Amino acid sequence: MGIIKIKDKTFKTSITEAEIKERVKALAQQISKDMEGKVPLFLGVLNGAFIFAADLMRELTIPSEISFVKLASYQGTTSTGKINEVLGINEDLSGRTVIIVEDIVESGLTMKRMIESLGTRNPASVHICTLFLKPDKLKEDLDIDYVAFRIPDDFIIGYGLDYDHLGRELRETYTIVE
């Protein structure tokens, strides 16, 4: 296992690049099977999901579209669950199959609000695909269709997730060392 230091924190490897690639490919295969005959619109949630969304799209075997959204919250974080607005949706969602691509679902509050916001645009269906799920932190009853990894309530970085804006480029994920 590798050890890295970012600013004042030390992290150790938690999930390897090979494990991530394997799970992303498996999710893409499942989505391709489930969505056969449809042309889903993937909505990647920025900033954290951009790497996951790109890798997922490259593994799909069905026609699909992608767009990215950014969540605007009252306190400038997406973990508060208090969304002012979902920014960046220019597509008409009426009758579309939408798949939200998220980096991590913790409490589920933000995801619930996002689904409510998207619902006002009359999609045929809305599905959730997340790289990481923290089941012990979940406060909302969400139907999460696609989960790459169920993880404990640890602070992680890498593969799109950051610590104080650093570490997103790392190919593996790392857990903070206390």
Side-chain angles (χ1 to χ4, degrees), residues 9-24:
K9 305 276 187 245
T10 302
F11 299 86
K12 67 178 179 181
T13 304
S14 56
I15 303 173
T16 67
E17 180 181 11
E19 290 172 300
I20 294 169
K21 283 183 177 181
E22 181 181 308
R23 287 298 301 141
V24 170

Side-chain angles (χ1 to χ4, degrees), residues 2 12 16 43 51 78 133 150 175:
K12 67 178 179 181
T16 67
L43 288 179
I51 293 175
T78 57
L133 172 64
R150 285 171 171 76
T175 305

Side-chain angles (χ1 to χ4, degrees), residues 43-105:
L43 288 179
V45 180
L46 295 174
N47 289 336
F50 78 102
I51 293 175
F52 174 43
D55 287 351
L56 183 69
M57 292 297 292
R58 287 192 292 250
E59 294 291 343
L60 293 171
T61 59
I62 56 168
S64 58
E65 297 176 28
I66 189 165
S67 187
F68 290 89
V69 296
K70 189 156 185 144
L71 307 179
S73 70
Y74 293 109
Q75 295 177 359
T77 68
T78 57
S79 61
T80 64
K82 297 177 183 175
I83 298 174
N84 279 333
E85 200 174 354
V86 179
L87 305 171
I89 300 177
N90 300 319
E91 292 78 11
D92 179 8
L93 300 185
S94 296
R96 297 290 312 265
T97 298
V98 176
I99 301 175
I100 301 167
V101 180
E102 180 65 290
D103 57 352
I104 189 165
V105 175

Side-chain angles (χ1 to χ4, degrees), residues 112-178:
K112 182 179 180 198
R113 302 300 186 289
M114 185 169 175
I115 289 168
E116 289 168 355
S117 174
L118 295 177
T120 65
R121 297 168 181 258
N122 302 313
S125 61
V126 177
H127 306 270
I128 302 169
C129 177
T130 186
L131 182 60
F132 299 109
L133 172 64
K134 292 184 176 181
D136 295 341
K137 296 263 301 193
L138 210 54
K139 294 178 181 171
E140 294 294 331
D141 185 24
L142 294 173
D143 184 14
I144 303 175
D145 305 89
Y146 308 101
V147 178
F149 297 96
R150 285 171 171 76
I151 62 170
D153 184 23
D154 295 330
F155 185 78
I156 61 170
I157 62 164
Y159 197 74
L161 289 90
D162 71 301
Y163 168 56
D164 204 14
H165 307 290
L166 297 174
R168 290 189 194 278
E169 77 286 354
L170 299 167
R171 295 175 177 266
E172 301 179 308
T173 61
Y174 294 79
T175 305
I176 197 164
V177 178
E178 295 300 330

